[in-house]
Amino acid sequence: MMDGPRITLLSSLDAKLRSFLEADPRGNERAAMVLFQRHHFVVPDLAVSDRYVAVDVIPMEEPWVTGSSPTHVSFNLGPLREILRRCEEDGLALGFAHNHPTGYEAFSEIDSANERALLEALSNRNGGHVNLVALLLANGTWKGRVRSSSAPNFPVPARHIAIIGSRIQLGSFAQQDTTGFRSRQAAAFGQPFVEALASLRVGVIGASGTGSPVITLLARAGVGEILIIDNDCLDETNLNRVRGARKSDVGEYKADVLARFVDALGLPVKTASMQSLIDVSPDAVDALSTCDVVFGCTDDQLGRQLLNSALYAFAFPLIDLGLGGHVTEKDEDAVLRSHFGRISVIFPEFGECLFCQGVLREVWIRHQEALRENPALTEEQARERYLEGGGEGAPGVGPFTSATADFGVATLFDLLKPFRRFPAAVRKDQFFIDFVNMEINSRGQKGDFDCPYCGAHEFTNLNSSHRLGRPSLGRRTVHV
Ligand SMILES: [Zn+2]
Ligand SMILES: [Zn+2]
């Protein structure tokens, strides 16, 4: 079941599809073509599960549609040619969506025949190995499956369908075993919530102070797959806060230490570890594109900058965590003046990006680029910059990194099943836990409509021949 394809619809396209399909004045069936980006990179140790992200919807109207009733819709294949050409040129996968106004919630025999005819047209025109995504809307919920030219009579049901708006709505998931260790959580949030978690692939970037508790909490919460990316090795100074790390692990990659720790828990979760810097590794970028949700748990500005474009290009919500604060010295003793944990949530279509939230700054990015070229600068610069820049001497306190991680994972729960009541002064897309003054607060919004990320949306569904439009990351492999 974990090998089933995952289908993602941004809320704007979900709304466009629904409003067209359900608007026939006679109450007849309607149909639309949906174009998808197919993220098919196979992450070693994880399930083979393609992730299809819808990028365009093309309503099928007369004369394309030749007849319809409450129980059928028929169409000719002529106008399809132009769409098939676009699929080939842009490396997009074809999808077919229709509704059942009668409320019949399963694909019918006629649906199967229609899908086979579309797949055949696609295969004849574009050749090679092709896939067709089928979506069915009945009683307000989606069902989905994917049919492949290598086995046209055996459609594979979707592992889930995700609608990404200012929350994550998951549906149509395959049944999972949600008894045993998951039952106490079901007691708080219900059975569908637990099944939704089990259908998720979550990426965690950074496996240190905040990343390690995020990873262990996700595993115990019953998330189905966890991808851990971190290029650092465990240092003895990490042992005060890295969950699951033992002294005997010092010198090993943190990503491997965490994956091994989670595997040893014996829970039904698949883990994969990559020892990469996400902003320079094409494989890490491709692996990110297969995630349903990503946690940013790194102090690395260049890595965060990559996540800030990837969340738009690959349509996943990003939960970014960070710590900051200020320490002074008095009588040769350290005095903690301020210390806070930050939780940011950025959706492809909602909220401010990390630049607009003030988490990323051009000057810090340039600074880090300089450090990469000349590592000898590190110590001095880190002392100057304190926590936001990370570095060797920066404070890292277990209870604070851990509390930030706890709030981060609870934020994922809130996205799947909203339970929080935010005070008026606290932003849903960004809040700080002030560990010194004991309060939760937010900064003001920037509201930059020209921002290329969250304002002008230049990266949303980016279809560039290079990964994320960066020639340094190499060409995107396109297989329809
Ligand atoms: Zn049907
Ligand atoms: Zn922005």
Side-chain angles (χ1 to χ4, degrees), residues 352-353 355-356 448 451 453-455:
E352 287 192 320
C353 78
F355 280 106
C356 293
D448 180 358
C451 170
Y453 299 95
C454 63

Side-chain angles (χ1 to χ4, degrees), residues 69-247:
S69 76
T71 56
H72 97 289
V73 59
S74 52
F75 47 89
N76 61 54
L77 294 176
L80 197 62
R81 275 190 215 105
E82 183 56 25
I83 295 171
L84 298 182
R85 192 182 58 77
R86 192 175 150 201
C87 285
E88 187 177 46
E89 283 178 3
D90 295 345
L92 298 173
L94 185 68
F96 174 71
H98 78 294
N99 69 323
H100 284 173
T102 57
Y104 182 63
E105 288 194 7
F107 287 99
S108 69
E109 283 302 313
I110 297 172
D111 295 338
S112 293
N114 280 340
E115 288 167 27
R116 281 194 298 265
L118 284 167
L119 190 65
E120 201 182 316
L122 179 62
S123 183
N124 288 344
R125 165 65 178 75
N126 294 4
H129 182 85
V130 288
N131 301 289
L132 178 83
V133 180
L135 286 170
L136 167 63
L137 181 64
N139 296 326
T141 60
W142 291 109
K143 290 265 182 303
R145 61 186 186 182
V146 175
R147 207 177 275 270
S148 152
S149 56
S150 56
N153 294 320
F154 300 97
V156 183
R159 178 165 129 187
H160 68 218
I161 296 176
I163 302 164
I164 311 287
S166 57
R167 55 167 296 206
I168 306 167
Q169 280 175 278
L170 283 177
S172 192
F173 21 72
Q175 292 289 313
Q176 308 269 348
D177 175 23
T178 52
T179 54
F181 82 103
R182 290 172 168 131
S183 63
R184 297 297 285 271
Q185 198 157 267
F189 296 110
Q191 198 66 15
F193 168 84
V194 175
E195 290 174 8
L197 273 183
S199 80
L200 286 180
R201 175 178 297 182
V202 181
V204 183
I205 314 309
S208 202
T210 46
S212 63
V214 164
I215 291 160
T216 54
L217 283 164
L218 292 174
R220 292 188 194 280
V223 162
E225 299 186 283
I226 305 175
L227 166 68
I228 306 165
I229 307 181
D230 191 315
N231 79 317
D232 262 354
C233 290
L234 189 75
D235 186 83
E236 194 173 332
T237 62
N238 298 138
L239 288 174
N240 74 323
R241 61 194 191 284
V242 176
R243 275 310 158 80
R246 301 164 302 182
K247 193 165 179 189

Side-chain angles (χ1 to χ4, degrees), residues 279-282 466-467 469-475:
D279 63 301
V280 297
S281 163
H466 292 107
R467 289 180 180 83
R470 294 184 184 191
S472 61
L473 285 169
R475 290 199 174 271

